[in-house]
Amino acid sequence: MSVSALGAILGLVISIILILRKIVPTYAMIIGAILGGIIGGAGLGGTVEYIISGVKNISPAIIRIVTAGILAGTLTESGAAAKIAEVVVKKLGTRNALLSMTLSTCVLTAVGVFGDVAIITVAPIAIQIAKKLDYKKLGILIAMIGGVKAGNVISPNPNAIAAADSFKVPLTSIMMVGIPCSIIAIIVTAMIAKYLSNKGTDVTVIEENKNEEDLPSILGALAGPIVTICILILRPIAGIVVDPLIALPIGGICGIIAMKKTKDTIEYLEVGLRKMSGVALLLIGTGALAGIIANSNLKDVIVEGINVIGFPPYLLAPIAGILMGAATASSTAGTTLGSQIFGPTILEYGLAPLAVGGMIHAGSFVFDGLPHGSFFHISAGSVNMEISERLKLIIWESLVGIGMVGLSTILFGAFKLVG
């Protein structure tokens, strides 16, 4: 028996309310899924069956994300991320200070560092520069947030892995279709950051704990990401398929060797696993909720509504990404839910899987920084910003996301540039 649209909606709403009430998102979504299934008429047995099937569908992405922790842990704990950020800022100089903040966080997330870690890494450097140039908190934080979005859409991070796995397309392809979105994100961010550079409260200097002598060389820092990308692009270039489950750990190990940090390997692996375990658990909750909604007629109601309004079918893809990203305040969970729930229905209209995956992925970045997500609070804390001031940035960071999904929808929905 399928779940009613009302049950699916209530399950999603209950999950959001629980997340806003500070319940752990994984449990919040599982509770929402259980109540949504029961209210929706699936019965206790049917509800459990749908939840398990939803988690089972997302399990391939979970194992890939867990192994990606080897590269992520290496980049953050070895000092590679800090070195990359330092070089980008130094090369661009204070004259292009805001752009250097954007590009630093962009590069870090693009090579596989989590967005919150990228901001925490760049923030001390950004604060020192802002203090010297008399920039305000709003300007430097939006510069870094925009950079995270620009890098995340072209990265081998969990959100891209989830999209690639859901639509059975190469991870590199998802990363490639994100390039136009990344470029527009940098452009929009640059304009907004410039406008906000003298607005908001003054920055306060944060103690820098890193010893520059302990940082690796730039070549060593980039070795892991370069090896990973080279392995992944063997598929489109030479037809040699190496799954991200293999490529990402190999890149991490090669980075460790290149930086001569083999004695710290176990530490990097443990840290990487801790970082990815949170995402893996989040996806279990996401899969549970997706199992209920995917087995409901909610998607049919939404599709029918779009047809009644007269919108073209491809708009369902960016709308799915935007709605699910807002519901979970996470690009990873938003991409996963949008892909798992609405992907099959959208594909029935004859759209290419890569195009649909790219639009859903881009859409997930519009509202992924809402207050019920961790990124909102971590980004605020990175520059000692009060929550009331951080709230003012939501509309601005959403504009960056709108630019990304707008361009993606035009290129891959209206013009069908990939097929």
Side-chain angles (χ1 to χ4, degrees):
M1 180 182 291
S2 64
V3 180
S4 68
L6 176 62
I9 292 171
L10 287 176
L12 185 58
V13 170
I14 290 169
S15 298
I16 295 171
I17 292 173
L18 291 176
I19 291 172
L20 289 172
R21 300 288 294 180
K22 307 301 182 184
I23 301 297
V24 177
T26 299
Y27 286 139
M29 286 190 276
I30 291 175
I31 293 169
I34 293 172
L35 294 178
I38 294 173
I39 294 170
L44 195 57
T47 297
V48 172
E49 182 182 337
Y50 292 151
I51 287 174
I52 291 174
S53 69
V55 175
K56 188 185 297 182
N57 288 337
I58 203 65
S59 59
I62 292 175
I63 186 63
R64 291 185 176 96
I65 286 166
V66 168
T67 58
I70 296 175
L71 177 61
T74 299
L75 287 170
T76 55
E77 295 304 303
S78 66
K83 183 64 178 182
I84 293 169
E86 175 191 278
V87 169
V88 172
V89 171
K90 283 184 177 177
K91 290 294 182 183
L92 288 175
T94 55
R95 185 178 177 182
N96 300 299
L98 292 171
L99 181 61
S100 71
M101 297 172 200
T102 300
L103 292 181
S104 295
T105 49
C106 175
V107 170
L108 291 181
T109 48
V111 300
V113 177
F114 276 19
D116 52 1
V117 176
I119 279 193
I120 291 170
T121 302
V122 175
I125 306 173
I127 287 171
Q128 296 291 342
I129 295 173
K131 195 72 176 174
K132 188 182 300 182
L133 299 178
D134 198 28
Y135 287 153
K136 308 297 184 183
K137 288 181 181 178
L138 286 177
I140 65 170
L141 187 53
I142 192 63
M144 292 188 287
I145 290 173
V148 166
K149 291 180 186 289
N152 225 341
V153 77
I154 57 171
S155 76
N157 270 334
N159 37 283
I161 293 174
D165 192 72
S166 295
F167 291 98
K168 304 295 185 289
V169 295
L171 176 58
T172 45
S173 297
I174 289 291
M175 293 162 65
M176 291 294 287
V177 297
I179 290 177
C181 303
S182 179
I183 294 172
I184 196 67
I186 292 171
I187 293 171
V188 174
T189 298
M191 293 188 294
I192 294 174
K194 182 68 175 175
Y195 174 73
L196 294 177
S197 61
N198 294 311
K199 299 183 185 298
T201 56
D202 294 330
V203 300
T204 51
V205 176
I206 299 175
E207 286 284 327
E208 177 87 63
N209 294 320
K210 288 189 179 295
N211 185 351
E212 290 190 16
E213 294 180 0
D214 294 335
L215 298 182
S217 67
I218 186 61
L219 290 178
L222 288 171
I226 289 173
V227 169
T228 300
I229 298 301
C230 287
I231 294 174
L232 289 173
I233 63 175
L234 287 174
R235 178 170 182 166
I237 292 177
I240 300 172
V241 180
V242 181
D243 196 277
L245 188 148
I246 304 297
L248 291 166
I250 288 177
I253 297 299
C254 288
I256 291 172
I257 295 171
M259 291 182 287
K260 300 178 182 178
K261 301 273 191 178
T262 50
K263 66 180 185 302
D264 300 315
T265 300
I266 293 177
E267 178 191 346
Y268 297 164
L269 266 58
E270 289 176 346
V271 171
L273 182 60
R274 285 201 299 270
K275 290 181 181 299
M276 292 301 182
S277 61
V279 182
L281 289 172
L282 174 67
L283 288 186
I284 289 175
T286 303
L289 189 58
I292 294 298
I293 300 177
N295 286 283
S296 73
N297 58 1
L298 174 62
K299 56 184 179 296
D300 300 324
V301 172
I302 294 176
V303 170
E304 185 178 339
I306 287 178
N307 290 334
V308 169
I309 296 172
F311 287 160
Y314 62 76
L315 283 183
L316 182 57
I319 289 172
I322 293 170
L323 291 178
M324 296 300 104
T328 58
S330 163
S331 59
T332 300
T335 299
T336 305
L337 280 173
S339 301
Q340 292 281 324
I341 296 168
F342 297 99
T345 300
I346 302 170
L347 292 177
E348 291 176 3
Y349 288 96
L351 297 170
L354 181 56
V356 177
M359 287 187 285
I360 290 176
H361 189 208
S364 72
F365 293 105
V366 177
F367 295 116
D368 64 329
L370 292 179
H372 55 287
S374 61
F375 182 75
F376 175 92
H377 301 281
I378 290 171
S379 57
S382 70
V383 294
N384 286 336
M385 180 181 284
E386 294 293 331
I387 296 301
S388 57
E389 186 174 12
R390 177 65 180 86
L391 288 167
K392 297 176 183 177
L393 275 183
I394 290 178
I395 182 64
W396 298 106
E397 62 184 294
S398 297
L399 289 177
V400 177
I402 289 170
M404 295 167 67
V405 71
L407 182 60
S408 177
T409 303
I410 292 170
L411 295 179
F412 310 128
F415 293 160
K416 296 181 171 61
L417 291 189
V418 295

